[in-house]
Amino acid sequence: MSFDDGSGMAEGLWWQTGVIYQIYPRSFSDASGDGVGDLRGVINRLDYIVGLGIDAIWLSPIYPSPMADFGYDVSSYVDIDPVFGTLDDFDELLSQAHQRGIRVILDLVLNHTSDEHPWFIESRSSRSSPKRDWYLWRDPAPDGGVPNNWTAFFGGSTWELDEGTGQFYLHLCHRKQPDLNWRNPDVRAAIYDVMRFWFDRGVDGFRIDALWILIKDEDFTDNPEPPSQHGEGFIGGYMRPGFEDHSEVQDIVSEMRMVADEYPERVLMGEIYLPVERLVRYYGEDLTGLHLPFNFGLVTTTEWGARSASRLVATYEAALPEGAWPNWVLGNHDQPRIASRAGEADSRMAQMLLLTLQGTPICYFGDELGMRDCVIPDEFTVDPQAAAGRSRDGARTPMQWSLAPHAGFTTPHAVPWLPVDGSYPNINVEVQDVDPRSHLSLFRRLIELRREHPALHLGSQKVMNGDREELLVFLREHNGDRVLVILNFGSSVLAVDSMEVGEKARVLCSTLMDRFGDVYISSLELRSHEGLLLALTDAG
Ligand code: GLC
């Protein structure tokens, strides 16, 4: 697929050519010494972020919150939780980031608020409250039980009885996260004003949380049972017709896009766990929807290998609407880390894949080091989703900065909110920074190459695997700049054999960081679990 077609995208916007880095603020860097990361901690680490070469940070929620879901339960949309700092700290972060050329994207949690948000407090105060209809209230079933059979993502029924008014409210996630009624125009207007509040402050975009479940079936019809063949996590097919992917969500998406378009060069990214054919609808008709509906293919795939990766690329390319900008996600705060899913060697290949595929890469903090999921003993488990047997704590442990106590995440006498993984003496920034072959050095080099080569940040993409089972090969190309990516997922040395790309090439980077110089493609061999980036030097 190629974009240099005179569509006006030839040079690319920042969110197209750049790399986005997700920070889970509780776990990134704790300057205050209370064991929880904060905005000052992020400010202190901005030079590290610049050194990575990334272009934008996306911060998971930093708004006031009772923290039942660690910030995804918002009790005010227009302030900062004291655990993270103040609005002044936020303004300083924004200005210091901007001075360094780093954009800042916030998380917009709008399917639900906290039950401690003033809107909900007012809504539950009486059946005749002016905000009653801002949330989804239902009478009990005739037998006095829950209104229907819907099950929450965090386990149990989606319905919670409010004793005071005798009705149930809907919560698709935790009972402390009542769902907003997105059919109510006042709710929409209020959230669009929240967007303007942050855009006016200079925020560069939003990652919109749980976007595909905003609108619920008007009659609250039971979901078919069992609800999903894939279990009850966010991952899965279209199995919950009661609240997944209603066409009215598209109207909301285009309204949000209109708000974003009141400002120059803002970006809207969306969390949508749907099969690709449904996902791409969120680009909107004539691309008037999201700029980047998250493509979770690399996260949700249950197989890690050349075949599945090339299948993912092919399915995605086939589904993308004309002119839509692709994106790839490798990890986030809800999913096991890539180094645990794929193993150390393949986690290096995964970084190469993420940073060379066509489209915007979205990286999760710590993956640049190859951080692994921490095994958290039950007594330290804090994730509310653990109640449903799917704790996400392992992927949320503190960033491993150094050999210092608590891996340098917080002050020595503090107790980190989640344990630091035992791998930190080897897997940390301090050690990897000075090791030219480290995971971190690889990550930086890949971003540097991505920036240097228009083929990588703008170019067309052609998968050239043929029927090779363990090799994934693809060509990126832009105005004569040609870069070949070869990944050997196999456990033996593989010869590449000749390909229709010419003979001569120069090694730009091996995932093992130990190969340089000129090579001939027909005599090239890749070691097991090695990825190679080659600049093609024969005329194209
Ligand atoms: C999103 C967030 C997740 C949160 C959920 C409920 O999926 O990524 O962390 O628990 O929404 O807000």
Side-chain angles (χ1 to χ4, degrees), residues 69 72 112 154 173 207 209 234 271 333-334 392 396:
D69 190 20
Y72 284 92
H112 43 263
F154 294 177
C173 296
R207 172 266 188 191
D209 187 67
F234 276 142
E271 183 200 34
H333 63 294
D334 293 327
R392 299 163 294 183
R396 297 177 174 181

Side-chain angles (χ1 to χ4, degrees), residues 203-255:
V203 162
D204 299 286
F206 289 104
R207 172 266 188 191
I208 303 162
D209 187 67
L211 183 59
W212 81 112
I213 56 173
L214 286 192
I215 292 283
K216 285 79 185 175
D217 175 48
E218 241 166 333
D219 301 323
F220 294 92
T221 309
D222 278 354
N223 272 330
E225 298 209 50
S228 164
Q229 65 199 15
H230 302 285
E232 297 195 353
F234 276 142
I235 303 170
Y238 180 61
M239 301 296 281
R240 301 182 189 88
F243 48 82
E244 285 189 328
D245 196 26
H246 279 254
S247 57
E248 284 163 81
V249 180
Q250 300 301 332
D251 303 334
I252 299 168
V253 170
S254 62
E255 288 170 15

Side-chain angles (χ1 to χ4, degrees), residues 232-345:
E232 297 195 353
F234 276 142
I235 303 170
Y238 180 61
M239 301 296 281
R240 301 182 189 88
F243 48 82
E244 285 189 328
D245 196 26
H246 279 254
S247 57
E248 284 163 81
V249 180
Q250 300 301 332
D251 303 334
I252 299 168
V253 170
S254 62
E255 288 170 15
M256 289 194 285
R257 173 62 180 265
M258 284 193 265
V259 177
D261 284 349
E262 292 167 17
Y263 301 81
E265 285 197 34
R266 302 303 206 262
V267 69
L268 295 181
M269 332 192 281
E271 183 200 34
I272 300 148
Y273 282 100
L274 286 174
V276 162
E277 314 76 56
R278 288 182 171 273
L279 167 74
V280 295
R281 297 215 319 242
Y282 288 73
Y283 282 103
E285 211 168 303
D286 299 327
L287 306 183
T288 54
L290 299 181
H291 302 94
L292 302 173
F294 282 165
N295 164 18
F296 287 124
L298 293 174
V299 170
T300 54
T301 180
T302 47
E303 271 171 74
W304 181 248
R307 279 215 169 162
S308 68
S310 60
R311 213 180 304 128
L312 283 173
V313 172
T315 321
Y316 190 45
E317 285 193 346
L320 277 173
E322 184 72 26
W325 193 261
N327 70 85
W328 293 91
V329 179
L330 202 53
N332 63 36
H333 63 294
D334 293 327
Q335 305 294 345
R337 282 188 180 274
I338 183 64
S340 293
R341 278 186 281 128
E344 149 73 18

Side-chain angles (χ1 to χ4, degrees), residues 21-29 37-38 42 58-62 67 69-72 84 107 332-334 337 364-365 382-383 392-393 395-399 409 417-418:
Y21 181 79
Q22 180 190 357
I23 291 180
Y24 192 70
R26 294 183 69 86
S27 299
F28 195 61
S29 182
D38 44 42
V42 179
W58 144 34
L59 299 172
S60 280
I62 48 176
M67 302 288 167
D69 190 20
F70 299 106
Y72 284 92
F84 298 122
D107 215 308
N332 63 36
H333 63 294
D334 293 327
R337 282 188 180 274
Y364 183 50
F365 89 95
V382 291
D383 179 13
R392 299 163 294 183
D393 289 339
R396 297 177 174 181
T397 57
M399 176 70 174
F409 160 70
W417 77 286
L418 276 176

Side-chain angles (χ1 to χ4, degrees), residues 47-81:
D47 288 332
Y48 169 75
I49 291 167
V50 171
L52 290 178
I54 61 110
D55 300 78
I57 51 176
W58 144 34
L59 299 172
S60 280
I62 48 176
Y63 316 105
S65 164
M67 302 288 167
D69 190 20
F70 299 106
Y72 284 92
D73 47 324
V74 176
S75 55
S76 165
Y77 285 108
V78 289
D79 207 345
I80 303 293
D81 193 280

Side-chain angles (χ1 to χ4, degrees), residues 41 237 375 539:
V375 179

